[in-house]
């Protein structure tokens, strides 16, 4: 299934290049800027300045990424149709996802993303915020120009607007919690994840089903299953951060940022010494990932010894298994469904805990 996944990924990459070309051309300027008057005519804008606006986004996209959300959209569409008309819409989830990464790294004062310096450190905070926000709005070009009915386009706009609103609510909660001493409950954490990480997954499944001809009810049903998939993915990501470190980032940077991830919440709920853990968080936050590495490792050791990592990973697997069953049981066996199962399996196998 890895090869079949890669085939779809290659096609998606081609459309990402179209909406964010290496060099801006007339067609791109006409579609993005528009020609509403002589004053705002696109030809009055020098391409080199527009290239500079796009540069941070192109840099980040060029570093790779899992891209499982846009692939998921194509797979749900394939469950209903045999063509690939949905492909031009796949950047709808990848563009805002990368926009949130750019802005998130600024909010968290992160140094690395996907193995290289964070975008804002290379291009400046002002340019990066602007480009990150641009990635939230470029999708309108894709919706306006897609080969679907006005009804589907309206659904796309509605789904996208709902998703982006919820995403920012989730990010706002995450920011508040790592800027204070409050430890959220498991339920609060799950709600935050459903907004922040589950939202774009929900959008992917919902849009794929709806564009493929599925009903609004089916679209929402599969979308919520994908939302749970996103939550499970986030928990696995939380655990990975404290085990090996996420790809392209340093192990334990969530501790430096003060994030109240599920392992931290479960540590508290199972009677862990929060006073001691908070001290390590505080030291790591003040010194940073390099100078504060000893505090980071002490915090990780404390969490690991409590069994919180095992509990968090078990919760992730439970959520992913339930989501997987809901999706696979809804359709007849086919290649698209096999690839969806492959995505679930890759999440489940992406992190392993050492035997005690």
């Amino acid at each position: 299934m890895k090869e079949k996944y890669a085939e779809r990924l290659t096609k998606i990459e081609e459309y990402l290049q179209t909406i964010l070309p290496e060099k801006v051309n007339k067609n791109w300027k006409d579609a993005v800027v528009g020609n509403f008057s002589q004053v705002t005519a696109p030809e009055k804008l020098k391409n080199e300045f527009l290239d500079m606006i796009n540069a941070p986004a192109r840099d980040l996209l060029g570093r790779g990424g899992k891209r499982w959300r846009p692939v998921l959209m194509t797979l749900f569409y394939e469950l209903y149709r045999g063509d690939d008309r949905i492909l031009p819409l796949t950047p709808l989830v990848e563009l805002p996802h990368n926009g949130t990464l750019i802005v998130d790294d600024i909010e968290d004062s992160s140094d690395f993303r996907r193995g290289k310096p964070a975008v804002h450190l290379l291009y400046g905070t002002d340019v990066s915020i602007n480009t990150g926000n641009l990635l939230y709005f470029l999708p309108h070009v894709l919706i306006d120009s897609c080969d679907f009915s006005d009804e589907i386009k309206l659904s796309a706009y509605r789904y996208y607007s709902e998703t982006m609103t919820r995403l920012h609510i989730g990010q706002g909660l995450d920011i508040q919690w790592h800027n204070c001493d409050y430890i959220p409950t498991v339920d609060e954490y799950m709600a935050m994840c459903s907004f922040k990480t589950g939202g774009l997954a929900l959008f992917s499944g919902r849009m794929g089903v709806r564009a493929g001809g599925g009903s609004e009810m089916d679209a929402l049903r599969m979308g919520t299953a994908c939302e749970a998939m996103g939550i499970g993915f986030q928990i696995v990501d939380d655990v990975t951060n404290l085990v090996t470190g996420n790809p392209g980032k340093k192990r334990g940077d969530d501790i430096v940022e003060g994030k109240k991830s599920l392992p931290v919440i479960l540590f508290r709920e199972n009677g862990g010494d929060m006073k001691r853990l908070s001290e390590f968080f505080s030291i790591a936050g003040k010194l940073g990932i390099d100078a504060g590495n000893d505090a980071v490792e002490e915090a990780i050791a404390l969490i690991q010894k409590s069994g919180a990592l095992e509990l968090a990973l078990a919760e992730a697997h439970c959520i992913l298994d339930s989501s997987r069953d809901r999706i696979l049981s809804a359709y007849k066996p086919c290649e698209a469904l096999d690839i969806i199962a492959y995505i679930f399996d890759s999440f489940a196998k992406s992190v392993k805990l050492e035997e005690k």
Side-chain angles (χ1 to χ4, degrees):
M1 285 299 110
K2 185 176 181 179
E3 294 77 14
K4 297 296 183 181
Y5 182 94
E7 287 176 10
R8 287 155 178 81
L9 187 58
T10 298
K11 294 178 180 179
I12 288 168
E13 294 292 345
E14 292 174 1
Y15 281 96
L16 285 172
Q17 295 297 321
T18 300
I19 192 63
L20 277 174
E22 184 176 358
K23 295 293 181 182
V24 164
N25 54 38
K26 184 180 184 304
N27 289 338
W28 189 90
K29 288 199 293 188
D30 287 343
V32 174
V33 181
N35 192 357
F36 303 110
S37 70
Q38 294 235 325
V39 175
T40 61
E43 60 267 20
K44 295 181 179 292
L45 302 173
K46 291 183 178 180
N47 289 6
E48 61 192 86
F49 294 119
L50 297 176
D51 290 339
M52 290 170 66
I53 292 173
N54 289 340
R58 283 192 54 81
D59 183 336
L60 185 59
L61 283 164
R63 300 179 190 183
K66 298 179 181 69
R67 309 274 204 262
W68 61 270
R69 297 170 186 84
V71 172
L72 199 63
M73 184 189 291
T74 68
L75 295 172
F76 273 97
Y77 178 84
E78 286 178 32
L79 291 170
Y80 292 83
R81 302 282 184 179
D83 56 66
D84 57 4
R85 287 174 64 203
I86 193 71
L87 278 170
L89 287 181
T90 53
L92 278 175
V93 283
E94 197 61 28
L95 293 179
H97 171 61
N98 280 267
T100 64
L101 296 182
I102 293 173
V103 176
D104 187 58
D105 284 344
I106 294 170
E107 292 168 343
D108 293 338
S109 300
S110 297
D111 294 330
F112 291 93
R113 174 68 66 176
R114 294 175 179 165
K116 296 182 180 180
V119 165
H120 65 280
L121 298 180
L122 297 176
Y123 298 89
T125 299
D126 50 357
V127 171
S128 298
I129 290 174
N130 186 69
T131 303
N133 289 334
L134 175 64
L135 293 178
Y136 301 157
F137 296 101
L138 273 179
H140 86 85
V141 177
L142 302 170
I143 298 173
D144 288 345
S145 61
C146 74
D147 184 26
F148 286 98
S149 67
D150 288 345
E151 180 183 3
I152 297 301
K153 289 181 179 181
L154 182 60
S155 292
Y157 270 115
R158 180 162 58 87
Y159 298 166
Y160 187 77
S161 178
E162 291 172 358
T163 298
M164 295 306 292
T165 301
R166 287 163 57 89
L167 190 154
H168 282 81
I169 293 294
Q171 177 69 352
L173 290 170
D174 195 22
I175 291 171
Q176 288 186 60
W177 294 338
H178 71 241
N179 281 335
C180 67
D181 294 330
Y182 181 72
I183 307 293
T185 65
V186 171
D187 286 344
E188 287 173 328
Y189 168 86
M190 293 296 181
M192 181 275 290
C193 285
S194 74
F195 295 154
K196 179 179 176 179
T197 312
L200 285 172
L202 186 154
F203 176 79
S204 298
R206 198 178 185 188
M207 193 67 240
V209 171
R210 195 72 185 95
S215 66
E216 281 279 6
M217 183 177 294
D218 285 342
L220 184 57
R221 186 163 54 93
M222 289 298 99
T224 54
C226 292
E227 178 184 42
M229 184 180 183
I231 295 171
F233 171 80
Q234 181 61 61
I235 298 172
V236 170
D237 199 67
D238 288 348
V239 174
T240 302
N241 184 274
L242 302 178
V243 177
T244 60
N246 302 111
K249 303 203 77 174
K250 293 189 176 181
R251 166 174 145 119
D253 65 351
D254 279 357
I255 291 172
V256 174
E257 294 164 12
K259 290 198 173 182
K260 310 303 180 359
S261 62
L262 187 59
V264 173
I265 296 169
L266 293 176
F267 175 84
R268 191 277 307 272
E269 294 202 349
N270 284 277
D273 187 345
M274 282 305 301
K275 181 178 180 181
R276 191 176 175 204
L277 185 64
S278 296
E279 289 173 355
F280 291 137
F281 265 68
S282 179
I283 294 170
K286 290 176 182 176
L287 298 180
I289 192 67
D290 293 322
N293 186 64
D294 287 347
V296 168
E297 291 300 324
E298 290 282 4
I300 292 174
L302 203 59
I303 295 169
Q304 190 169 25
K305 186 177 180 180
S306 75
L309 291 179
E310 286 89 345
L311 290 172
L313 195 57
E315 181 66 26
H317 287 166
C318 182
I319 293 170
L320 289 170
D321 287 346
S322 175
S323 174
R324 187 181 195 272
D325 290 344
R326 286 160 64 188
I327 294 171
L328 299 189
S329 64
Y331 301 96
K332 294 180 180 180
C334 61
E335 183 176 277
L337 212 56
D338 289 341
I339 301 172
I340 291 175
Y342 166 78
I343 296 173
F344 275 104
D345 291 342
S346 68
F347 288 171
K349 297 174 181 176
S350 63
V351 59
K352 292 184 182 296
L353 301 179
E354 294 181 2
E355 295 292 336
K356 290 186 176 180

